[in-house]
Amino acid sequence: MQQLFEGRRLTPTQRRIAHSMVRRAGDVPFLSSVELAELAGVSQPSVTRFAVALGFDGYPALRRHLREVAPAGPDAAGGGDAYNEYQQAVLGEIENLRHLAELLADPGPVERAGRLLAASRPLPVLGLRAASSQARGFGYFAAKVHPDVRVLDEGGSMLRDRIDAARRAGATALICFALPRHPKEMVDALAYAQGQGLAVVSVADSAFAPVARHSDLLIPAAVGTGLAFDTACAPMLLGRVLLEAMCDDLPDAQARLEEFDARAAARGLFVE
């Protein structure tokens, strides 16, 4: 579905519709224009104009096209009523991981991100609210191979100060984890980081997430929406993939890991 929108100059309202469609890709081919408008929080005429902007005669033509690429119906991936809500949530995440695997068939964006992150000294890692755990997890492992990792997982008036400090210390890039709901403060922080000359690499739930317009390189990984709170298996795995790509561009990464293992063993840090 994302390929349908690539290369299009969409208005903010149209990006909002596209974002909602990507997040609910299994359901959208079976929604009316009114239902899609309610899902995206826009007007019904906006949905019609969106379909025309994509080159269709109207929303019915767009919906027919989507049904052709998803003919089995909205419950195909999850097995419909054959599975309970917990199983459906797991199956939904499996589908998200499958889409991520397809995306990674072209390793170019990940390799480019790895080079940007490896070259930045220090490396700021941004993630607020729902994405803070993603930022901390990435920062924890990145610090084992990168000489200076700075996790920015708290907002407030100090956030820009910390971005400034990283930039003055020599940072050239910043990695951001952006998950719904997207804090306005995070979007503003990325705009500020770009204004200070930092290249922004973003891991977001959609190519049409609000952080897209302030990202030099955005790699999407969908979140699961089947439970009361979103699940983020695909963004977490993408973070590990980016760590791997970064290690490939850090010549002393393996030596740092071996040094850590030796020190951990000497300290009796882990229980076997």
Side-chain angles (χ1 to χ4, degrees), residues 116-117 120 122-124 171-175 197-201:
L116 288 170
L117 302 181
S120 184
L123 173 61
T172 55
L174 174 151
I175 181 170
L198 291 174
V200 174
V201 176

Side-chain angles (χ1 to χ4, degrees), residues 165-187:
R167 186 71 181 97
R168 286 196 302 270
T172 55
L174 174 151
I175 181 170
C176 170
F177 289 86
L179 302 178
R181 302 171 63 184
H182 301 91
K184 181 179 182 299
E185 185 177 21
M186 181 177 64
V187 178

Side-chain angles (χ1 to χ4, degrees), residues 5 49 51 54 110 116 135 147 150 179 187-188 192 199 204-205 253 266-267 272:
F5 311 132
R49 289 192 292 268
L54 294 181
V110 167
L116 288 170
R150 304 186 183 186
L179 302 178
V187 178
D188 292 343
Y192 182 77
D205 58 302
R267 294 165 55 194
E272 298 296 335

Side-chain angles (χ1 to χ4, degrees), residues 8-207:
R8 305 281 183 175
R9 295 182 64 85
L10 302 178
T11 68
T13 296
Q14 290 168 347
R15 288 198 298 269
R16 187 171 183 176
I17 298 170
H19 184 202
S20 298
M21 291 177 68
V22 170
R23 291 192 65 197
R24 296 287 296 275
D27 299 327
V28 165
F30 308 93
L31 299 180
S32 68
S33 60
V34 173
E35 290 171 328
L36 178 56
E38 291 178 351
L39 178 65
V42 301
S43 67
Q44 188 275 335
S46 294
V47 172
T48 300
R49 289 192 292 268
F50 171 72
V52 173
L54 294 181
F56 297 93
D57 293 336
Y59 180 72
L62 171 59
R63 187 169 61 177
R64 283 196 299 272
H65 171 76
L66 295 176
R67 287 181 176 180
E68 290 173 0
V69 299
D75 293 327
D81 295 336
Y83 299 101
N84 63 43
E85 61 178 314
Y86 311 122
Q87 292 175 297
Q88 289 178 22
V90 172
L91 291 169
E93 284 289 38
I94 291 172
E95 187 65 18
N96 288 340
L97 293 172
R98 184 176 294 112
H99 287 314
L100 178 59
E102 293 171 357
L103 179 71
L104 295 176
D106 175 10
V110 167
E111 292 172 349
R112 178 187 168 200
R115 289 191 295 270
L116 288 170
L117 302 181
S120 184
R121 309 292 175 87
L123 173 61
V125 182
L126 175 64
L128 302 181
R129 293 187 178 268
S132 61
S133 61
Q134 301 290 329
R136 288 193 297 270
F138 182 94
Y140 172 79
F141 289 110
K144 296 184 183 301
V145 293
H146 192 288
D148 191 353
V149 176
R150 304 186 183 186
V151 176
L152 311 180
D153 60 351
E154 294 183 359
S157 61
M158 294 291 291
L159 182 55
R160 290 193 178 190
D161 293 345
R162 297 177 71 190
I163 292 173
D164 283 339
R167 186 71 181 97
R168 286 196 302 270
T172 55
L174 174 151
I175 181 170
C176 170
F177 289 86
L179 302 178
R181 302 171 63 184
H182 301 91
K184 181 179 182 299
E185 185 177 21
M186 181 177 64
V187 178
D188 292 343
L190 291 188
Y192 182 77
Q194 279 193 321
Q196 300 306 304
L198 291 174
V200 174
V201 176
S202 291
V203 172
D205 58 302
S206 164

